[in-house]
């Protein structure tokens, strides 16, 4: 039999790296969440852009003059 206690094979290396990533992820703080007003501002911006696009689309074929 071979002595594998001193050698680290691919599976053991991958397991060690995965454990290190898990520990690092647990110590990472959660990203900041947008407040209620922040979400409302984003929604208003998207809504305004949609209305502007609809007006431009509706007026594109009208004859001038």
């Amino acid at each position: 039999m071979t002595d594998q206690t001193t050698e680290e094979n691919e599976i053991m290396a991958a397991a060690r790296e995965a454990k290190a990533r898990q520990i690092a992820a647990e110590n990472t703080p959660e990203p900041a969440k947008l407040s209620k007003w922040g979400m409302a501002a984003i929604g208003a911006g998207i809504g305004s852009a949609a209305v502007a696009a609809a007006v431009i689309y509706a007026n594109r074929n009208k004859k001038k003059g």
Side-chain angles (χ1 to χ4, degrees), residues 37-51:
W37 289 107
M39 291 298 285
I42 291 172
I46 293 172
S48 298
V51 169

Side-chain angles (χ1 to χ4, degrees), residues 4 7-18 21:
Q4 293 184 352
E7 275 185 49
E8 183 178 49
N9 61 18
E10 296 170 0
I11 295 172
M12 294 300 290
R16 181 179 41 80
E17 290 174 11
R21 285 190 191 118

Side-chain angles (χ1 to χ4, degrees), residues 59-65:
N59 290 331
R60 68 186 172 116
N61 288 330
K62 289 187 176 181
K63 292 184 180 180
K64 293 183 181 179

Side-chain angles (χ1 to χ4, degrees), residues 11-50:
I11 295 172
M12 294 300 290
R16 181 179 41 80
E17 290 174 11
K19 183 68 174 176
R21 285 190 191 118
Q22 180 183 8
I23 291 170
E26 289 172 354
N27 294 331
T28 303
E30 289 291 322
K33 294 186 178 184
L34 286 175
S35 67
K36 189 176 189 179
W37 289 107
M39 291 298 285
I42 291 172
I46 293 172
S48 298

